[in-house]
Amino acid sequence: MALYRNIHTSFWDDTKVLDEMTPEDRYFMLYILSNPHTNQVGCYEISIRQMSNETGYTTETIEKLLDRFENKLKTIKYSKSTKELLIVKWYRYNWTSSPKVKSCVLKELENVKSQEFIDYINKVCIPYVYGMDTYTQEEQEEEQEEEQEEEQIDFKNLSNQIIDYLNLKTSKKFKSTTKKTKQLIKARVREGFKEEDFKKVIDIKTTEWLNDNKMQKYLRPETLFRNKIRELFKSK
């Protein structure tokens, strides 16, 4: 199964990146954020030799970069005893309030060896995103309900059917796999809307807007599946 790490475009606007990082620093930072050893908790085991082999830098260069990143740029912490690297602000950009994400973070935290890093994650990272409360029974039940719902409704197939129909009617190339589109369709399904409801609002709005130069840009999932479908079926 392929893993993906998101690199925010704001990385290139960050004042630390612009003012304090050399081109070599930026390359190393991107490597730290996206290499195959990264995980959801933002603390992973990796040796200096592994970093050397994967970046092409000598071990001496890696050691200098680690020292610079930890003591001057203050973006990471590295434990030579446990061979673990901690990305200091990983949690701000990669964690969400989702119970699923929190469950994953807590599970991966069990594998962290450095007590210093465990304390940092528990005392700084988790409270920042989730507050001081632990993973509650209510959150667990909510997560279980979502998983059961996904088993009962094939959201992937439903999204494909709806977006394929929208593309057919508009001659556009929307993707059913984007996060926003999936969230919109799931939200409306939970409100009681069916596949035929989505297709009906597509039919109506394409008839009204397709040949209207000003309005045809609104023939998109964000508009149709958020407000227009609700307006059409106010009784739902």
Side-chain angles (χ1 to χ4, degrees):
M1 179 179 176
L3 292 177
Y4 301 89
R5 297 298 176 202
N6 293 323
I7 304 295
H8 287 247
T9 56
S10 59
F11 173 86
W12 300 104
D13 298 321
D14 190 289
T15 54
K16 182 182 288 290
V17 174
L18 292 173
D19 299 338
E20 300 179 37
M21 287 190 178
T22 66
E24 183 178 60
D25 292 336
R26 296 173 189 179
Y27 167 61
F28 191 59
M29 190 69 208
L30 289 172
Y31 166 73
I32 286 170
L33 294 172
S34 61
N35 71 69
H37 311 283
T38 57
N39 55 24
Q40 191 65 46
V41 77
C43 180
Y44 53 90
E45 188 172 338
I46 187 170
S47 69
I48 290 176
R49 182 157 297 279
Q50 282 177 302
M51 287 186 269
S52 172
N53 291 337
E54 292 173 355
T55 61
Y57 287 142
T58 64
T59 54
E60 291 78 9
T61 299
I62 294 296
E63 288 177 343
K64 289 179 181 178
L65 284 167
L66 290 174
D67 179 70
R68 173 174 167 77
F69 271 62
E70 181 165 4
N71 297 309
K72 184 172 183 178
L73 298 174
K74 300 187 183 303
T75 54
I76 68 163
K77 294 179 182 292
Y78 187 73
S79 171
K80 289 186 176 179
S81 60
T82 62
K83 297 182 179 179
E84 290 175 307
L85 186 148
L86 171 72
I87 304 172
V88 173
K89 294 184 180 180
W90 173 270
Y91 62 100
R92 292 191 180 184
Y93 303 100
N94 293 277
W95 292 9
T96 70
S97 58
S98 164
K100 289 185 179 181
V101 173
K102 187 175 183 181
S103 178
C104 180
V105 167
L106 294 176
K107 183 177 181 180
E108 291 182 349
L109 182 58
E110 295 175 359
N111 298 320
V112 177
K113 300 174 184 177
S114 168
Q115 189 59 50
E116 178 190 353
F117 295 169
I118 292 172
D119 291 342
Y120 174 81
I121 294 167
N122 275 321
K123 294 177 181 179
V124 177
C125 307
I126 292 177
Y128 180 89
V129 179
Y130 300 105
M132 297 304 294
D133 295 334
T134 58
Y135 190 41
T136 66
Q137 181 67 30
E138 182 179 351
E139 288 174 324
Q140 294 179 36
E141 290 175 354
E142 181 181 342
E143 181 178 342
Q144 289 173 358
E145 287 177 1
E146 287 184 3
E147 290 174 350
Q148 290 172 0
E149 182 182 40
E150 289 181 4
E151 289 178 1
Q152 294 171 0
I153 302 174
D154 188 349
F155 281 109
K156 181 179 180 180
N157 182 61
L158 179 61
S159 295
N160 288 339
Q161 295 288 338
I162 293 169
I163 299 302
D164 284 348
Y165 189 75
L166 176 60
N167 289 335
L168 177 66
K169 298 289 288 188
T170 61
S171 298
K172 295 185 179 181
K173 296 181 179 180
F174 295 109
K175 294 182 179 180
S176 62
T177 54
T178 63
K179 183 178 180 181
K180 183 178 289 186
T181 296
K182 290 192 294 185
Q183 288 177 336
L184 283 169
I185 292 175
K186 278 189 178 182
R188 300 296 80 77
V189 170
R190 286 171 183 157
E191 292 173 1
F193 292 101
K194 308 296 183 184
E195 181 179 344
E196 55 267 29
D197 299 330
F198 287 92
K199 290 183 176 179
K200 185 172 182 179
V201 76
I202 291 170
D203 287 338
I204 291 173
K205 291 305 171 183
T206 50
T207 300
E208 293 178 1
W209 294 346
L210 191 58
N211 296 315
D212 186 326
N213 293 331
K214 291 183 178 180
M215 298 303 295
Q216 63 180 222
K217 65 182 178 181
Y218 296 110
L219 290 170
R220 60 190 182 186
E222 186 176 355
T223 303
L224 298 176
F225 306 152
R226 175 173 284 123
N227 298 322
K228 295 307 173 184
I229 193 170
R230 286 169 165 167
E231 292 173 5
L232 185 62
F233 300 97
K234 290 182 179 179
S235 61
K236 283 192 178 286

